[in-house]
Short mmCIF file of all heavy atoms in Angstrom, two decimals:
data_model
loop_
_atom_site.label_atom_id
_atom_site.label_comp_id
_atom_site.label_asym_id
_atom_site.label_seq_id
_atom_site.Cartn_x
_atom_site.Cartn_y
_atom_site.Cartn_z
N HIS Z 403 145.29 111.11 178.71
CA HIS Z 403 145.01 109.76 179.19
C HIS Z 403 143.79 109.13 178.59
O HIS Z 403 143.56 107.93 178.73
CB HIS Z 403 144.99 109.72 180.71
CG HIS Z 403 146.38 110.10 181.27
ND1 HIS Z 403 147.46 109.22 181.04
CD2 HIS Z 403 146.80 111.17 181.89
CE1 HIS Z 403 148.50 109.83 181.56
NE2 HIS Z 403 148.16 110.99 182.11
N SER Z 404 142.86 109.92 177.93
CA SER Z 404 141.67 109.29 177.43
C SER Z 404 141.95 108.56 176.14
O SER Z 404 142.68 109.06 175.23
CB SER Z 404 140.49 110.25 177.34
OG SER Z 404 140.84 111.28 176.44
N ARG Z 405 141.38 107.37 176.01
CA ARG Z 405 141.54 106.56 174.83
C ARG Z 405 140.87 107.22 173.64
O ARG Z 405 139.79 107.78 173.79
CB ARG Z 405 140.97 105.20 175.14
CG ARG Z 405 141.20 104.16 174.04
CD ARG Z 405 140.63 102.81 174.55
NE ARG Z 405 140.36 101.95 173.44
CZ ARG Z 405 141.20 101.05 172.89
NH1 ARG Z 405 142.46 101.00 173.40
NH2 ARG Z 405 140.86 100.28 171.92
N GLY Z 406 141.51 107.12 172.46
CA GLY Z 406 140.86 107.62 171.26
C GLY Z 406 139.65 106.80 170.81
O GLY Z 406 139.39 105.78 171.34
N ARG Z 407 138.96 107.37 169.84
CA ARG Z 407 137.76 106.66 169.29
C ARG Z 407 138.13 106.05 167.95
O ARG Z 407 138.96 106.58 167.23
CB ARG Z 407 136.62 107.62 169.12
CG ARG Z 407 136.16 108.23 170.44
CD ARG Z 407 135.22 107.30 171.18
NE ARG Z 407 134.96 107.76 172.53
CZ ARG Z 407 134.13 107.20 173.41
NH1 ARG Z 407 133.51 106.06 173.05
NH2 ARG Z 407 133.94 107.69 174.59
N PHE Z 408 137.43 104.98 167.64
CA PHE Z 408 137.68 104.24 166.39
C PHE Z 408 136.52 104.37 165.50
O PHE Z 408 135.45 103.86 165.82
CB PHE Z 408 138.04 102.78 166.78
CG PHE Z 408 138.44 101.85 165.72
CD1 PHE Z 408 139.01 102.34 164.53
CD2 PHE Z 408 138.18 100.45 165.79
CE1 PHE Z 408 139.40 101.49 163.54
CE2 PHE Z 408 138.53 99.61 164.77
CZ PHE Z 408 139.18 100.15 163.65
N ILE Z 409 136.73 105.00 164.36
CA ILE Z 409 135.63 105.21 163.40
C ILE Z 409 135.95 104.56 162.12
O ILE Z 409 137.05 104.73 161.54
CB ILE Z 409 135.41 106.76 163.23
CG1 ILE Z 409 135.04 107.42 164.53
CG2 ILE Z 409 134.32 106.99 162.18
CD1 ILE Z 409 134.82 108.91 164.46
N THR Z 410 135.01 103.81 161.55
CA THR Z 410 135.28 103.19 160.23
C THR Z 410 134.29 103.64 159.22
O THR Z 410 133.14 104.07 159.54
CB THR Z 410 135.18 101.62 160.38
OG1 THR Z 410 133.85 101.27 160.84
CG2 THR Z 410 136.19 101.10 161.37
N LEU Z 411 134.68 103.54 158.01
CA LEU Z 411 133.90 103.97 156.81
C LEU Z 411 133.71 102.73 155.93
O LEU Z 411 134.71 102.05 155.64
CB LEU Z 411 134.66 105.08 156.13
CG LEU Z 411 133.90 106.07 155.30
CD1 LEU Z 411 132.81 106.77 156.08
CD2 LEU Z 411 134.89 107.17 154.80
N GLU Z 412 132.51 102.49 155.55
CA GLU Z 412 132.24 101.25 154.81
C GLU Z 412 131.26 101.49 153.65
O GLU Z 412 130.58 102.51 153.64
CB GLU Z 412 131.58 100.17 155.70
CG GLU Z 412 132.41 99.68 156.86
CD GLU Z 412 133.46 98.58 156.46
OE1 GLU Z 412 133.51 98.21 155.28
OE2 GLU Z 412 134.18 98.18 157.36
N GLY Z 413 131.20 100.53 152.75
CA GLY Z 413 130.23 100.61 151.63
C GLY Z 413 130.80 99.82 150.47
O GLY Z 413 132.00 99.54 150.37
N ALA Z 414 129.90 99.41 149.54
CA ALA Z 414 130.35 98.67 148.34
C ALA Z 414 131.16 99.60 147.40
O ALA Z 414 131.29 100.80 147.70
CB ALA Z 414 129.09 98.10 147.69
N GLU Z 415 131.57 99.07 146.30
CA GLU Z 415 132.38 99.86 145.38
C GLU Z 415 131.54 101.08 144.84
O GLU Z 415 130.36 100.83 144.57
CB GLU Z 415 132.86 99.00 144.19
CG GLU Z 415 133.25 97.60 144.47
CD GLU Z 415 134.48 97.48 145.29
OE1 GLU Z 415 135.44 98.20 145.10
OE2 GLU Z 415 134.51 96.61 146.19
N GLY Z 416 132.16 102.18 144.61
CA GLY Z 416 131.51 103.29 143.89
C GLY Z 416 130.51 104.05 144.77
O GLY Z 416 129.74 104.86 144.17
N VAL Z 417 130.53 103.91 146.01
CA VAL Z 417 129.57 104.67 146.84
C VAL Z 417 130.16 106.02 147.28
O VAL Z 417 129.43 106.85 147.88
CB VAL Z 417 129.13 103.91 148.15
CG1 VAL Z 417 128.26 102.71 147.76
CG2 VAL Z 417 130.29 103.51 148.97
N GLY Z 418 131.42 106.29 146.98
CA GLY Z 418 132.00 107.57 147.27
C GLY Z 418 132.79 107.65 148.63
O GLY Z 418 133.03 108.78 149.12
N LYS Z 419 133.13 106.50 149.08
CA LYS Z 419 133.89 106.39 150.37
C LYS Z 419 135.20 107.18 150.38
O LYS Z 419 135.43 107.92 151.26
CB LYS Z 419 134.19 104.89 150.56
CG LYS Z 419 134.33 104.41 151.94
CD LYS Z 419 134.30 102.83 151.90
CE LYS Z 419 135.01 102.22 150.82
NZ LYS Z 419 136.51 102.38 150.77
N SER Z 420 135.99 107.00 149.32
CA SER Z 420 137.30 107.70 149.26
C SER Z 420 137.14 109.16 149.27
O SER Z 420 137.97 109.91 149.81
CB SER Z 420 138.07 107.24 148.03
OG SER Z 420 138.04 105.85 147.91
N SER Z 421 136.11 109.72 148.57
CA SER Z 421 135.93 111.17 148.55
C SER Z 421 135.46 111.64 149.88
O SER Z 421 135.79 112.75 150.36
CB SER Z 421 134.83 111.52 147.52
OG SER Z 421 135.06 110.85 146.34
N LEU Z 422 134.66 110.85 150.63
CA LEU Z 422 134.09 111.28 151.89
C LEU Z 422 135.16 111.28 153.03
O LEU Z 422 135.07 112.11 153.92
CB LEU Z 422 132.87 110.41 152.27
CG LEU Z 422 132.03 111.03 153.39
CD1 LEU Z 422 131.26 112.27 152.91
CD2 LEU Z 422 131.06 110.00 153.92
N LEU Z 423 136.09 110.33 152.95
CA LEU Z 423 137.03 110.21 154.03
C LEU Z 423 137.72 111.51 154.48
O LEU Z 423 137.74 111.85 155.66
CB LEU Z 423 138.06 109.08 153.71
CG LEU Z 423 138.89 108.64 154.86
CD1 LEU Z 423 138.39 107.37 155.44
CD2 LEU Z 423 140.33 108.51 154.48
N PRO Z 424 138.27 112.27 153.51
CA PRO Z 424 138.92 113.53 153.97
C PRO Z 424 137.90 114.49 154.59
O PRO Z 424 138.31 115.29 155.48
CB PRO Z 424 139.50 114.09 152.68
CG PRO Z 424 139.18 113.18 151.56
CD PRO Z 424 138.48 111.98 152.10
N LYS Z 425 136.68 114.43 154.22
CA LYS Z 425 135.68 115.30 154.79
C LYS Z 425 135.38 114.87 156.22
O LYS Z 425 135.13 115.76 157.12
CB LYS Z 425 134.37 115.27 153.98
CG LYS Z 425 134.53 115.73 152.59
CD LYS Z 425 134.74 117.28 152.56
CE LYS Z 425 135.01 117.79 151.17
NZ LYS Z 425 135.41 119.17 151.11
N VAL Z 426 135.36 113.63 156.50
CA VAL Z 426 135.15 113.10 157.86
C VAL Z 426 136.29 113.61 158.71
O VAL Z 426 136.13 114.17 159.81
CB VAL Z 426 135.05 111.58 157.92
CG1 VAL Z 426 134.84 111.12 159.35
CG2 VAL Z 426 133.93 111.07 157.05
N ARG Z 427 137.51 113.47 158.14
CA ARG Z 427 138.73 113.90 158.89
C ARG Z 427 138.62 115.37 159.21
O ARG Z 427 138.83 115.79 160.40
CB ARG Z 427 139.96 113.61 158.04
CG ARG Z 427 141.23 113.89 158.79
CD ARG Z 427 142.43 113.73 157.88
NE ARG Z 427 143.54 114.09 158.79
CZ ARG Z 427 144.59 113.33 159.07
NH1 ARG Z 427 144.69 112.14 158.54
NH2 ARG Z 427 145.53 113.70 159.82
N GLU Z 428 138.28 116.15 158.19
CA GLU Z 428 138.15 117.64 158.42
C GLU Z 428 137.17 117.94 159.55
O GLU Z 428 137.42 118.79 160.36
CB GLU Z 428 137.57 118.27 157.13
CG GLU Z 428 138.60 118.85 156.24
CD GLU Z 428 137.93 119.28 154.95
OE1 GLU Z 428 136.84 120.02 154.93
OE2 GLU Z 428 138.42 118.90 153.91
N THR Z 429 136.06 117.20 159.52
CA THR Z 429 135.01 117.48 160.55
C THR Z 429 135.52 117.16 161.95
O THR Z 429 135.35 117.92 162.86
CB THR Z 429 133.71 116.57 160.26
OG1 THR Z 429 133.34 116.77 158.90
CG2 THR Z 429 132.62 116.90 161.17
N LEU Z 430 136.24 116.07 162.06
CA LEU Z 430 136.85 115.70 163.38
C LEU Z 430 137.88 116.79 163.80
O LEU Z 430 137.96 117.16 165.03
CB LEU Z 430 137.49 114.34 163.33
CG LEU Z 430 136.53 113.17 163.04
CD1 LEU Z 430 137.30 111.85 162.88
CD2 LEU Z 430 135.49 113.03 164.20
N GLU Z 431 138.69 117.17 162.81
CA GLU Z 431 139.79 118.13 163.18
C GLU Z 431 139.26 119.47 163.63
O GLU Z 431 139.88 120.16 164.39
CB GLU Z 431 140.77 118.23 162.02
CG GLU Z 431 141.64 116.96 161.92
CD GLU Z 431 142.60 116.92 160.79
OE1 GLU Z 431 142.41 117.64 159.84
OE2 GLU Z 431 143.58 116.08 160.80
N ARG Z 432 138.07 119.82 163.17
CA ARG Z 432 137.42 121.02 163.62
C ARG Z 432 137.20 121.00 165.12
O ARG Z 432 137.03 122.02 165.77
CB ARG Z 432 136.15 121.27 162.90
CG ARG Z 432 136.30 122.42 161.91
CD ARG Z 432 134.99 122.75 161.18
NE ARG Z 432 135.19 122.31 159.84
CZ ARG Z 432 134.28 121.69 159.08
NH1 ARG Z 432 133.10 121.39 159.54
NH2 ARG Z 432 134.53 121.39 157.81
N TYR Z 433 137.11 119.80 165.68
CA TYR Z 433 136.96 119.67 167.18
C TYR Z 433 138.29 119.54 167.88
O TYR Z 433 138.33 119.04 169.04
CB TYR Z 433 136.03 118.53 167.49
CG TYR Z 433 134.57 118.67 167.16
CD1 TYR Z 433 134.12 118.47 165.88
CD2 TYR Z 433 133.63 118.94 168.13
CE1 TYR Z 433 132.77 118.60 165.55
CE2 TYR Z 433 132.35 119.07 167.80
CZ TYR Z 433 131.90 118.88 166.49
OH TYR Z 433 130.58 118.99 166.20
N ASP Z 434 139.41 119.80 167.12
CA ASP Z 434 140.75 119.69 167.73
C ASP Z 434 141.09 118.23 168.04
O ASP Z 434 141.87 117.94 168.98
CB ASP Z 434 140.93 120.49 168.98
CG ASP Z 434 141.16 121.96 168.60
OD1 ASP Z 434 141.64 122.18 167.45
OD2 ASP Z 434 140.90 122.81 169.45
N ILE Z 435 140.49 117.31 167.33
CA ILE Z 435 140.80 115.87 167.54
C ILE Z 435 142.04 115.50 166.72
O ILE Z 435 142.12 115.89 165.53
CB ILE Z 435 139.60 115.03 167.19
CG1 ILE Z 435 138.43 115.33 168.09
CG2 ILE Z 435 139.93 113.55 167.12
CD1 ILE Z 435 137.13 114.76 167.64
N ARG Z 436 142.96 114.76 167.34
CA ARG Z 436 144.08 114.21 166.61
C ARG Z 436 143.68 112.97 165.86
O ARG Z 436 143.22 111.99 166.48
CB ARG Z 436 145.24 113.93 167.59
CG ARG Z 436 146.55 113.53 166.93
CD ARG Z 436 147.70 113.75 167.90
NE ARG Z 436 147.54 113.09 169.20
CZ ARG Z 436 148.04 111.88 169.42
NH1 ARG Z 436 148.73 111.17 168.52
NH2 ARG Z 436 147.88 111.29 170.62
N VAL Z 437 143.75 112.98 164.56
CA VAL Z 437 143.15 111.90 163.72
C VAL Z 437 144.23 111.17 162.94
O VAL Z 437 145.07 111.79 162.32
CB VAL Z 437 142.12 112.42 162.67
CG1 VAL Z 437 141.43 111.26 161.97
CG2 VAL Z 437 141.09 113.37 163.37
N ILE Z 438 144.19 109.84 162.96
CA ILE Z 438 145.12 109.05 162.13
C ILE Z 438 144.18 108.30 161.09
O ILE Z 438 143.24 107.64 161.48
CB ILE Z 438 145.88 108.01 162.94
CG1 ILE Z 438 146.86 108.80 163.87
CG2 ILE Z 438 146.61 107.02 162.07
CD1 ILE Z 438 147.64 107.95 164.78
N THR Z 439 144.48 108.58 159.81
CA THR Z 439 143.66 107.97 158.76
C THR Z 439 144.42 106.73 158.26
O THR Z 439 145.62 106.80 158.08
CB THR Z 439 143.47 109.01 157.64
OG1 THR Z 439 142.99 110.18 158.20
CG2 THR Z 439 142.50 108.47 156.65
N THR Z 440 143.65 105.67 158.11
CA THR Z 440 144.33 104.44 157.62
C THR Z 440 143.34 103.65 156.81
O THR Z 440 142.17 104.11 156.58
CB THR Z 440 144.90 103.68 158.81
OG1 THR Z 440 145.60 102.51 158.31
CG2 THR Z 440 143.90 103.24 159.81
N ARG Z 441 143.72 102.48 156.36
CA ARG Z 441 142.77 101.71 155.50
C ARG Z 441 143.04 100.20 155.60
O ARG Z 441 144.12 99.75 156.01
CB ARG Z 441 142.91 102.08 154.03
CG ARG Z 441 144.29 101.70 153.41
CD ARG Z 441 144.28 102.02 151.99
NE ARG Z 441 145.55 101.71 151.32
CZ ARG Z 441 145.77 101.85 150.03
NH1 ARG Z 441 144.87 102.37 149.25
NH2 ARG Z 441 146.95 101.54 149.49
N GLU Z 442 142.06 99.46 155.19
CA GLU Z 442 142.13 97.95 155.05
C GLU Z 442 141.60 97.49 153.71
O GLU Z 442 140.64 98.10 153.25
CB GLU Z 442 141.37 97.31 156.20
CG GLU Z 442 142.05 97.54 157.52
CD GLU Z 442 141.70 96.46 158.59
OE1 GLU Z 442 140.84 95.56 158.28
OE2 GLU Z 442 142.23 96.50 159.66
N PRO Z 443 142.15 96.47 153.10
CA PRO Z 443 143.40 95.90 153.60
C PRO Z 443 144.52 96.89 153.39
O PRO Z 443 144.52 97.70 152.52
CB PRO Z 443 143.64 94.66 152.66
CG PRO Z 443 142.80 94.95 151.46
CD PRO Z 443 141.66 95.79 151.93
N GLY Z 444 145.55 96.82 154.31
CA GLY Z 444 146.68 97.77 154.26
C GLY Z 444 146.89 98.42 155.53
O GLY Z 444 146.70 97.84 156.60
N GLY Z 445 147.39 99.63 155.51
CA GLY Z 445 147.60 100.43 156.71
C GLY Z 445 148.94 100.28 157.40
O GLY Z 445 149.33 101.10 158.22
N THR Z 446 149.64 99.21 157.10
CA THR Z 446 151.01 98.97 157.60
C THR Z 446 151.82 98.51 156.42
O THR Z 446 151.27 98.10 155.37
CB THR Z 446 151.04 97.83 158.64
OG1 THR Z 446 150.65 96.55 157.96
CG2 THR Z 446 150.06 98.10 159.78
N PRO Z 447 153.17 98.47 156.51
CA PRO Z 447 153.94 97.97 155.34
C PRO Z 447 153.55 96.55 154.95
O PRO Z 447 153.34 96.29 153.79
CB PRO Z 447 155.40 98.10 155.83
CG PRO Z 447 155.34 99.20 156.83
CD PRO Z 447 154.01 99.06 157.53
#
Side-chain angles (χ1 to χ4, degrees):
H403 295 294
S404 59
R405 185 177 157 89
R407 298 279 171 177
F408 184 26
I409 300 178
T410 60
L411 207 54
E412 296 279 0
E415 323 293 320
V417 291
K419 207 167 41 65
S420 312
S421 314
L422 193 69
L423 192 100
K425 298 288 176 190
V426 178
R427 185 185 179 122
E428 263 173 50
T429 307
L430 296 174
E431 285 176 342
R432 251 181 252 139
Y433 288 80
D434 280 339
I435 294 167
R436 185 158 58 92
V437 185
I438 292 176
T439 308
T440 184
R441 67 173 179 181
E442 290 203 355
T446 64

